[in-house]
Amino acid sequence: RSFSQMESSDDDNEEWSPAQPKPKASKTARDPAAGEKKPKPRAPRKPAAQRKTLAAKVLKDSSSSGLAGTKRKMKAEGKNEDKVEKQTDCPEQQGAEETHQADGWAGEGSSLAGFRAKKEEVEEEDFTFDEPCPKKQKTSGACLGQPSALPSSQAQDLRNELDMNWDLIELLSILTCVERWVCVNIISLLREENTVPFMVRYRKEMINHMDADAVRDVQLVYEELRSLAKKTQSVIQTLRKDGVLTAELEQNLRSCRSADELDHVYSPYKKGSKLTKARRAKALGLEVAASTLLDTPHTLDLRYSMCVCVSGLSSVEEVATGVEHILADMIAKDPETLTYVKTLCENSFVTIQSSVSKSQNKNKDIDKFHLYFDFTCNIQRIQSHQTLAINRGESLKILTVKVNIPDRVKSDFTRWCINNRWRPRTLAREELCAIIRNAVEDSYKRLILPFLTRSYRTKLTSAAEKESIAMFVRNLRQRLLVCPVRGCVIMGVDPGFRHGCKVAILSPTSQILHTDVVYLHSSGQQREADKLCNLMIKYSCTRVVIGNGTACRETESFFTDLISRRYCHPLDVSYCITNEAGASIYSVSPEAVKEMPDLDPNLRSAVSIGRRVQDPMAELVKIDPKHIGIGTYQHDVSAGSLKAALDGVVQECVSFVGVDINICSETLMRHVAGLNAGRAKNIAEWRELNGPFINREQLKLVKGMGPKTYQQCAGFIRINPQTSVKPSPHPVSVVPEKPAAKKGKGKTGVNIPTSFNPLDQTCIHPESYHVAQRFLSIVGGSADQIGSAGLRQCVESKVRTSSIEELAKTVDTTPETLKLIIDGLTQPPGFDIRQNFGQADFKRGIVSMSDLRVGAVLTGRVDNTALFGAFVDIGVGRSGLIHKSNITLDKLPVSQRRRSLALGPGERVEVRVLNVDPQRGRIGLDLIRVLQ
């Protein structure tokens, strides 16, 4: 695997201290080509690690668009004396990286194994809310020749589309920590309906070699901003209809940069909410008095205000209270004030605390939360799994949670408001100063403090959900990319006691040869053993795949006994245990009924278990990813976000592996980039009617396959000569020959070749075929030599004498496209990127949990990873846990030192047993090393 070398993060045990402000970079220093010193890069995935404030960058514009009474000039001395220094946003990074971890995965080339560790980090780090992480990608705009901004017309279209007070590109760049020119290109590509796999493989230079996860992050934030803008328009229309919309309120709404800010501004005006104290005071006519108190307090007479306002006030004290409420509301809505108090919190020791709820009433799940009965943690250091666990305990009414903000924040905030931001413009009497002081304290306690608490909880939950979903994505990717076990007959076994073990024998091409039910755990075991032995000898079956469900250990013992007695001699039989999560759900799904209509659902499970080892990806895509048994806290995260992320990684894996269009299932086909269920069905029907596809061009004959769809999917579809027939002498009878055909659903006349193109079996996109042909002529080869040793030697010789950049100029293309073409031409026929990933482990013996001893050294394979550690299958029927504290840098290969936990499903590891708890079924492990 290939990874960028990055420095590790600060140690978890290091004492946290407020970050020091950084000087704002000059304009010349921000030029990527200016050659400034490269800042320290970081792991890209951490949601909010090592962040300072976004206040200066994100709220810069909105500070001038507050509510009535807040747009006042402050005295120069006071403003400069206490103004919080604004921090720069992400440090600009320049210099394109020489090696990019996404190249191998997206390009199927020699460095493809870099895909296995995208966007992951190794250690838990501090983080601060509201501040962007360092740039995810090093770039050099001058080197790649990319624009730094959208064309003025497109930029105006975007601004008109959103109709907000902030710049979309700038805000997107800040929130995602991706350079502006990359954000520009990604938005343009998304607006042109390009898929993420297509962008990552065939538009690398436009997205600066970002991997699929990073592009999806930008896409997600872009969609969130669009959704925020849409919601803002809806709120404005509602308030205008209710007659409460003012120009200042509208500007304040359009300046919101998050749903949390929008809700904070809009909540007092929601229908059904009780009238706020400030609105009641305004209804009594005290708004003028509040403005006068700030601008010209020497002219304010509270007794006169009591006389001129509407009925409802009987004393000067009530007038003062009403003015306080209006001022408190103005203070709580003022962007500059909110920016200041957030900055104070970021430089303070804010904690989150959980304790046992007094109303938990002996909940049956209470023991699961004993770690959080008296839990306090710095808001900067709390881990994602802790946040999700606290949230779950709170939802079950087992825990009570609160955010503790130090009293120093209140005192500093009050002093700043009174002496600076909300200081009257002229000299005020003592009783008027007391009104302002009371308003500030009331605003902080009643409005700002709850807002900060909600904000912290929301951001903690959001960061934890993103990290949990990222864990799901990593686990699913590695589960899908397990290397297939090809070329052998396999017996799939769905173990059971009362209803027997369901058995399915599958051919090397996954065809069902035989199904049966055997009762291995009752009387008559000898008879069942004979039946199994006869079946295995009849079909030459040497591999057995056992599901890890009920009766798994007993079934494993049965086969181990057969193997030890050489019962199936001369066959050399071995077995493996595989995760059967989701097999039962799939067996009764419409997909399974359509695929195996004559089989009992229990037997379908056995077929699915066997196929999960023969071709894991082709089988697992039939099952909803959330049922595959990966990740943790799936019920505590947003169901929509989880589904979108998992569907995206399935599309990514299927596309980058590629599908043979002539033999792949309709289910697998629908996950190819650019295709969907309807288009996959049309392709399958065309294949059934006209026979195998001979070349990629014939895809254009399929109903619903327009130019954009063809562009997105063509590069991920393979036409292999072994599965395509020779062209028939008669042309394909799908295209009507009449030139003046009526417009309708059918295809119009298209000139489609009917000969096989060797380039169609590679990862080279049809749009680059002419470049590939020019390159072949330069190196002295031909398309018929694709994958041969002779062509590889010619290409390597040419690359040695001329650089990739020079050759790219010669054939008139980009270096990235040429590298992809070289990979496609030199890879052997039938190349599968999954061959670099581990296969299922087959064995012949068994070890039980009672055989484990503390200190024993074992090898195993990672079964699943969670936010707190990795579960490893060591072959004893129960996975052991390597806690994240035992996954340290010195135990990892250099290439894995920037990944979260650095481990994923399928990786082989050497571990040491730390403790064994047979009663609770728990095994503690220590990582020794990762086996390459």
Side-chain angles (χ1 to χ4, degrees), residues 610-874:
R611 287 176 174 172
R612 290 185 183 202
V613 172
Q614 281 190 317
D615 193 342
M617 187 178 72
E619 189 63 24
L620 291 177
V621 296
K622 302 173 184 177
I623 304 168
D624 190 332
K626 66 184 179 183
H627 295 145
I628 297 179
I630 53 174
T632 54
Y633 295 100
Q634 75 178 53
H635 299 295
D636 297 285
V637 302
S638 167
S641 299
L642 179 61
K643 185 179 187 305
L646 297 183
D647 289 346
V649 80
V650 170
Q651 183 189 66
E652 172 193 339
C653 293
V654 173
S655 299
F656 290 162
V657 169
V659 298
D660 187 333
I661 196 67
N662 288 322
I663 61 174
C664 74
S665 67
E666 182 181 324
T667 305
L668 182 63
M669 202 187 310
R670 69 180 57 161
H671 293 287
V672 175
L675 300 183
N676 54 28
R679 291 166 186 158
K681 181 180 179 181
N682 292 340
I683 292 175
E685 290 176 351
W686 192 98
R687 185 174 63 188
E688 187 70 23
L689 180 64
N690 299 281
F693 288 87
I694 299 169
N695 53 52
R696 285 172 171 169
E697 289 288 317
Q698 285 186 325
L699 287 168
K700 297 178 179 179
L701 301 175
V702 178
K703 178 182 175 182
M705 187 69 67
K708 174 56 72 172
T709 300
Y710 177 78
Q711 178 198 42
Q712 297 301 303
C713 73
F716 307 117
I717 286 176
R718 306 285 186 268
I719 309 289
N720 294 317
Q722 296 84 3
T723 58
S724 62
V725 297
K726 294 182 179 180
S728 61
H730 304 290
V732 180
S733 59
V734 174
V735 185
E737 297 182 359
K738 294 182 180 181
K742 293 182 179 180
K743 291 185 178 180
K745 295 183 179 179
K747 288 283 185 177
T748 58
V750 182
N751 185 19
I752 300 297
T754 57
S755 58
F756 174 72
N757 188 340
L759 294 175
D760 287 343
Q761 59 184 318
T762 70
C763 61
I764 303 172
H765 197 280
E767 67 184 10
S768 302
Y769 279 4
H770 63 287
V771 179
Q773 293 291 355
R774 283 202 295 268
F775 180 73
L776 283 170
S777 63
I778 290 176
V779 302
S782 66
D784 295 331
Q785 297 176 289
I786 287 177
S788 65
L791 181 60
R792 178 184 287 271
Q793 291 176 357
C794 292
V795 171
E796 290 176 350
S797 175
K798 191 66 178 177
V799 172
R800 279 196 300 267
T801 57
S802 302
S803 67
I804 292 290
E805 289 73 19
E806 294 175 356
L807 290 172
K809 292 180 180 178
T810 303
V811 297
D812 190 22
T813 190
T814 62
E816 290 77 13
T817 302
L818 183 58
K819 290 176 184 177
L820 188 64
I821 290 173
I822 291 175
D823 286 340
L825 295 177
T826 56
Q827 287 164 354
F831 175 80
D832 191 333
I833 64 170
R834 292 174 293 175
Q835 68 190 30
N836 289 334
F837 295 78
Q839 277 188 340
D841 289 324
F842 286 88
K843 54 188 178 180
R844 295 172 178 81
I846 186 173
V847 178
S848 65
M849 192 170 177
S850 59
D851 296 327
L852 292 179
R853 295 291 180 269
V854 174
V857 176
L858 307 167
T859 60
R861 191 176 292 278
V862 177
D863 182 56
N864 196 6
T865 55
L867 298 172
F868 48 83
F871 292 95
V872 180
D873 180 7
I874 54 176

Side-chain angles (χ1 to χ4, degrees), residues 50-322:
Q50 298 274 342
R51 301 185 179 180
K52 294 187 178 66
T53 180
L54 267 179
K57 192 72 177 176
V58 180
L59 294 172
K60 179 173 60 178
D61 299 329
S62 61
S63 62
S64 60
S65 58
L67 297 177
T70 62
K71 299 170 64 176
R72 301 178 294 105
K73 289 185 178 180
M74 295 182 295
K75 289 187 176 181
E77 295 82 4
K79 182 174 182 179
N80 296 329
E81 187 176 40
D82 290 292
K83 185 76 171 175
V84 177
E85 181 179 1
K86 295 184 178 182
Q87 310 294 334
T88 59
D89 61 313
C90 311
E92 295 292 338
Q93 302 185 0
Q94 76 277 349
E97 292 185 307
E98 297 177 358
T99 58
H100 303 278
Q101 65 186 34
D103 282 356
W105 170 233
E108 291 193 3
S110 56
S111 60
L112 60 92
F115 162 77
R116 295 181 68 178
K118 295 191 290 292
K119 289 174 63 52
E120 298 165 357
E121 71 281 355
V122 64
E123 288 186 298
E124 311 301 333
E125 300 174 347
D126 292 347
F127 64 89
T128 302
F129 293 119
D130 279 343
E131 155 137 24
C133 57
K135 298 290 184 185
K136 293 178 180 176
Q137 305 290 334
K138 289 185 178 180
T139 65
S140 175
C143 176
L144 296 175
Q146 299 302 327
S148 59
L150 278 170
S152 57
S153 60
Q154 295 185 33
Q156 188 61 37
D157 289 344
L158 277 175
R159 182 174 287 275
N160 292 340
E161 175 190 350
L162 299 182
D163 197 15
M164 300 293 283
N165 289 344
W166 33 260
D167 181 87
L168 173 64
I169 303 301
E170 180 183 12
L171 184 57
L172 185 63
S173 176
I174 292 171
L175 294 178
T176 61
C177 303
V178 174
E179 285 76 0
R180 287 176 59 95
W181 69 266
V182 181
C183 292
V184 167
N185 289 337
I186 291 177
I187 289 178
S188 299
L189 290 168
L190 290 174
R191 287 165 68 90
E192 294 169 3
E193 299 181 349
N194 291 284
T195 61
V196 172
F198 177 81
M199 289 189 276
V200 171
R201 175 171 288 180
Y202 299 113
R203 296 293 183 265
K204 292 180 183 179
E205 66 282 354
M206 293 187 67
I207 63 172
N208 192 36
H209 296 78
M210 290 172 64
D211 57 35
D213 288 339
V215 175
R216 272 194 294 269
D217 282 348
V218 176
Q219 180 184 20
L220 180 63
V221 175
Y222 172 58
E223 291 173 351
E224 287 176 351
L225 292 177
R226 291 186 62 187
S227 176
L228 173 65
K230 185 177 180 180
K231 184 177 180 181
T232 301
Q233 307 305 328
S234 176
V235 168
I236 290 174
Q237 290 178 6
T238 301
L239 295 179
R240 182 179 289 117
K241 184 178 178 181
D242 294 342
V244 297
L245 183 67
T246 63
E248 292 80 6
L249 177 58
E250 181 175 355
Q251 289 302 310
N252 212 42
L253 289 168
R254 294 191 189 279
S255 299
C256 293
R257 284 158 166 79
S258 68
D260 201 39
E261 289 182 29
L262 180 64
D263 185 68
H264 180 63
V265 176
Y266 173 51
S267 57
Y269 304 93
K270 288 181 179 178
K271 284 186 176 180
S273 60
K274 61 182 180 180
L275 204 62
T276 62
K277 293 181 177 181
R279 290 180 66 185
R280 286 198 295 268
K282 289 178 181 179
L284 293 174
L286 295 177
E287 190 170 8
V288 174
S291 298
T292 303
L293 174 58
L294 294 174
D295 296 329
T296 56
H298 61 283
T299 64
L300 178 62
D301 184 354
L302 296 181
R303 294 183 181 277
Y304 175 76
S305 299
M306 181 181 67
C307 297
V308 299
C309 71
V310 298
S311 60
L313 297 175
S314 58
S315 65
V316 174
E317 288 74 16
E318 290 184 0
V319 173
T321 302

